[in-house]
Amino acid sequence: MSAPTLSVASWNINSVRLRMPQVARFLTENAPDVLCLQEIKCMEHLFPRQAFIDLGYEHIALTGQKGYHGVATVSRIPLRDYARHDWQDNGEARHVGVELLGPGEGLILENVYIPAGGDEPDREKNPKFGQKLDFLARMTRWSEGIERPTLLVGDFNIAPLDCDVYDHKALLKVVSHTPIEVETLGQLQAAHGWVDLGRKHIPAPERNYTWWSYRTYWQGKDRGRRLDHMWASPDLAAKSVKHTIAEHTREWEKPSDHVPIITEFAL
Amino acid sequence: MSAPTLSVASWNINSVRLRMPQVARFLTENAPDVLCLQEIKCMEHLFPRQAFIDLGYEHIALTGQKGYHGVATVSRIPLRDYARHDWQDNGEARHVGVELLGPGEGLILENVYIPAGGDEPDREKNPKFGQKLDFLARMTRWSEGIERPTLLVGDFNIAPLDCDVYDHKALLKVVSHTPIEVETLGQLQAAHGWVDLGRKHIPAPERNYTWWSYRTYWQGKDRGRRLDHMWASPDLAAKSVKHTIAEHTREWEKPSDHVPIITEFAL
DNA sequence: GCAGTGCCGG
DNA sequence: CCGGCACTGC
């Protein structure tokens, strides 16, 4: 018999209530076992729970707040609501962790929305930038203690490699691609030996964008960045067999500025 | 040979830019010669002029302002941009008058958006209510000087007859149906002997609503009011042959809270 | 550019 | 409920 398969998707949806038709279409066409959403932008009681149940995603773990941030993990596979970290200690809803209970039993799935970090890449002038770096440092401390096979997914708001942006030089001073962010993200990666599945399956320097600004997309110049990631513990990473970027969703009606990424595992 | 025919429609559109698809549908399905719009809610340079030209309504007279009020008269028949009255003397864009040049030559068409008047029907507590009454008084003075056959159309924001609202007694203290408004509107009507075409063709006490609040429409209780009117000079009124209320538009997608009214004349 | 918010006006 | 606006965040 063949090994059981597991597929996990991640998508910064930029308001789940406004974008529910697109989410439904994505789930119908791609049928991942699990979908991790970021920026749901609603409180938990306003999450369109029934719509997900109707689509077969009846196992839901989420953390929300009014208007900003918020993450949700919806699943066809039973899951245990495992953890909620507040890596800024400021009450923002940026993480939800679950443990899969069906196929993929015991696997930990961490869904995170790392802070964008404001405009100015300077701790002094822009406190949000410091908060982003501190958030990453706390995730690094947390990573050091991980003992179980874990998949860390979400909108990291950092494009780490030169080839993860449309113009490396032009973006060195733009938050999301500054050397200090890339360095700090590197420390997080090293702390657990996280394997970057996006680059395992689509090796550098291949084009691999997951986000295009609303402001410039219409110009058609492909000014993308790779801000969304899936990182796996080394043992788990060895089992990933496919990784896709659902880039076509960026052309849908009323799209999110991010597109979904999907990884399949042979467990 | 038969007498030339003229059809004139009036519609408070509650943002012409947002509602252009519905306007296009209305014009396509009803093909009035002239359409008078109120609450276009845009400045003149943002009026969707080309869309009207493409629909065959290439003769356009309008007055607009940012965000509020604004009226436009669009026509398949040539017209002369005739007048713009500021009956509040406060710069608000609430009136445009034209003279028809083709069929209906010489006919004056006055398109007006009378102030809503705020919530409290009390001059002292609510200046907007006083402004509404003063607006009507100035229109009355103006009416006294009219010498040419004129059609006065628009959103009057007053339901004059008991049967022009869903509950006369309940609305006696509600702005749009208070005795002082009805009395003041009556003086305006008397000043020129204006004939109320809505009630010429749909005699009281027949139901004749043109507006349903967004707030209560969903309850399905038919809580309508007749706020939109077409008033004609006596000689012109004698030539009206048909008057319809396009009530079905209230059920369209993203409707205005008002519906169009249409009068046909045999000239 | 496009989400969210709050406020005003109807 | 549903327009407009101004503001904020990404």
Side-chain angles (χ1 to χ4, degrees):
Chain A
M1 73 182 252
S2 63
T5 249
L6 173 76
S7 66
V8 178
S10 174
W11 196 3
N12 178 319
I13 197 57
N14 190 13
S15 176
V16 70
R17 285 178 296 172
L18 202 76
R19 216 85 61 198
M20 200 56 220
Q22 292 85 331
V23 173
R25 179 172 171 190
F26 171 74
L27 290 175
T28 303
E29 294 180 359
N30 296 274
D33 295 309
V34 185
L35 172 62
C36 299
L37 295 167
Q38 300 88 40
E39 285 207 85
I40 60 173
K41 289 191 175 179
C42 66
M43 288 192 286
E44 293 169 30
H45 66 101
L46 295 173
F47 186 80
R49 187 178 286 272
Q50 192 58 50
F52 283 98
I53 294 170
D54 293 346
L55 287 157
Y57 296 80
E58 51 187 323
H59 307 101
I60 299 171
L62 76 150
T63 174
Q65 66 180 83
K66 191 174 181 178
Y68 298 97
H69 323 311
V71 294
T73 298
V74 303
S75 173
R76 308 200 288 189
I77 297 170
L79 48 81
R80 185 165 73 87
D81 199 331
Y82 183 76
R84 233 146 274 228
H85 296 305
D86 179 1
W87 282 305
Q88 283 182 122
D89 205 22
N90 67 354
E92 290 182 356
R94 293 182 174 276
H95 167 266
V96 65
V98 302
E99 177 185 354
L100 297 192
L101 297 179
E105 177 96 39
L107 191 145
I108 304 294
L109 182 47
E110 309 281 5
N111 178 2
V112 65
Y113 175 51
I114 293 176
D119 284 336
E120 187 83 33
D122 183 324
R123 269 183 182 280
E124 310 306 316
K125 294 187 205 157
N126 169 23
K128 287 181 190 176
F129 190 70
Q131 283 163 22
K132 182 179 191 173
L133 299 178
D134 295 345
F135 190 102
L136 290 164
R138 297 227 198 159
M139 283 188 77
T140 303
R141 299 292 84 75
W142 161 81
S143 279
E144 289 163 355
I146 291 175
E147 292 176 345
R148 296 172 60 177
T150 299
L151 185 63
L152 173 63
V153 313
D155 176 3
F156 291 12
N157 269 311
I158 297 175
L161 304 186
D162 296 5
C163 56
D164 286 339
V165 297
Y166 65 91
D167 186 337
H168 166 61
K169 273 192 75 177
L171 289 175
L172 279 169
K173 290 180 178 173
V174 173
V175 174
S176 74
H177 194 62
T178 62
I180 180 72
E181 288 171 278
V182 172
E183 160 68 16
T184 308
L185 186 68
Q187 287 163 8
L188 168 56
Q189 187 170 8
H192 179 67
W194 292 111
V195 176
D196 175 350
L197 297 179
R199 284 305 177 191
K200 172 187 167 187
H201 291 276
I202 307 174
E206 209 174 317
R207 182 177 163 288
N208 197 351
Y209 307 145
T210 66
W211 177 85
W212 294 260
S213 165
Y214 284 121
R215 269 174 282 216
T216 55
Y217 184 74
W218 62 275
Q219 295 173 350
K221 289 184 185 161
D222 194 32
R223 300 198 156 180
R225 305 180 205 173
R226 185 169 74 108
L227 302 181
D228 301 272
H229 301 274
M230 291 196 173
W231 283 5
S233 300
D235 290 356
L236 176 63
K239 297 174 183 167
S240 76
V241 293
K242 191 178 178 190
H243 181 88
T244 54
I245 302 172
E247 195 177 323
H248 65 288
T249 64
R250 191 63 177 77
E251 309 252 16
W252 287 356
E253 287 280 295
K254 287 215 138 231
S256 170
D257 45 352
H258 295 253
V259 301
I261 55 178
I262 314 157
T263 301
E264 283 178 33
F265 298 89
L267 297 172
Chain B
M1 77 180 252
S2 64
T5 249
L6 173 76
S7 65
V8 178
S10 174
W11 195 5
N12 179 317
I13 197 57
N14 189 14
S15 175
V16 70
R17 286 178 295 172
L18 200 75
R19 216 85 62 197
M20 200 57 220
Q22 291 85 333
V23 174
R25 180 172 171 190
F26 172 74
L27 290 175
T28 304
E29 293 180 359
N30 296 273
D33 295 308
V34 186
L35 172 62
C36 298
L37 293 168
Q38 302 87 39
E39 284 207 85
I40 61 172
K41 289 191 175 179
C42 64
M43 288 193 287
E44 292 168 29
H45 66 101
L46 295 174
F47 185 80
R49 187 176 287 272
Q50 192 57 49
F52 283 98
I53 294 170
D54 293 344
L55 286 157
Y57 294 80
E58 51 186 324
H59 309 284
I60 299 172
L62 76 151
T63 175
Q65 65 178 83
K66 190 174 180 177
Y68 297 96
H69 323 311
V71 295
T73 298
V74 302
S75 172
R76 308 200 288 190
I77 298 169
L79 46 82
R80 185 165 74 85
D81 200 331
Y82 183 74
R84 235 147 272 233
H85 297 306
D86 180 1
W87 283 305
Q88 283 181 121
D89 205 23
N90 66 355
E92 290 181 355
R94 293 182 173 275
H95 166 267
V96 65
V98 301
E99 176 184 356
L100 297 191
L101 297 180
E105 178 96 40
L107 191 144
I108 303 293
L109 181 47
E110 309 281 6
N111 178 1
V112 65
Y113 174 53
I114 293 177
D119 283 337
E120 187 83 30
D122 182 325
R123 270 183 182 280
E124 310 305 319
K125 294 187 207 159
N126 169 23
K128 287 181 190 177
F129 190 72
Q131 283 164 22
K132 181 178 191 173
L133 298 178
D134 294 345
F135 190 103
L136 290 163
R138 299 228 197 156
M139 284 189 77
T140 302
R141 299 293 84 76
W142 161 82
S143 279
E144 289 163 355
I146 292 174
E147 292 176 345
R148 296 173 60 178
T150 300
L151 184 63
L152 172 62
V153 313
D155 177 3
F156 291 11
N157 268 313
I158 297 175
L161 305 186
D162 296 3
C163 56
D164 286 339
V165 296
Y166 64 92
D167 185 337
H168 167 61
K169 273 193 75 176
L171 289 175
L172 279 169
K173 291 179 177 173
V174 173
V175 173
S176 74
H177 194 63
T178 62
I180 179 74
E181 288 170 278
V182 172
E183 160 68 16
T184 309
L185 185 68
Q187 288 164 8
L188 168 56
Q189 187 169 9
H192 178 66
W194 292 111
V195 176
D196 174 350
L197 298 179
R199 284 306 178 190
K200 173 187 166 187
H201 291 277
I202 307 175
E206 209 175 318
R207 181 177 164 287
N208 197 351
Y209 307 144
T210 66
W211 176 86
W212 294 260
S213 166
Y214 284 121
R215 270 176 282 220
T216 55
Y217 185 75
W218 61 275
Q219 294 172 349
K221 288 184 183 161
D222 194 31
R223 299 198 156 181
R225 306 181 205 173
R226 185 169 74 108
L227 301 181
D228 301 273
H229 302 272
M230 290 196 172
W231 283 5
S233 298
D235 290 356
L236 175 63
K239 297 174 183 166
S240 75
V241 293
K242 191 178 176 190
H243 181 88
T244 55
I245 303 172
E247 194 176 324
H248 64 289
T249 64
R250 192 61 176 81
E251 309 251 17
W252 287 357
E253 287 280 294
K254 286 213 140 235
S256 170
D257 45 350
H258 295 252
V259 301
I261 56 179
I262 314 156
T263 301
E264 283 177 34
F265 298 89
L267 297 171

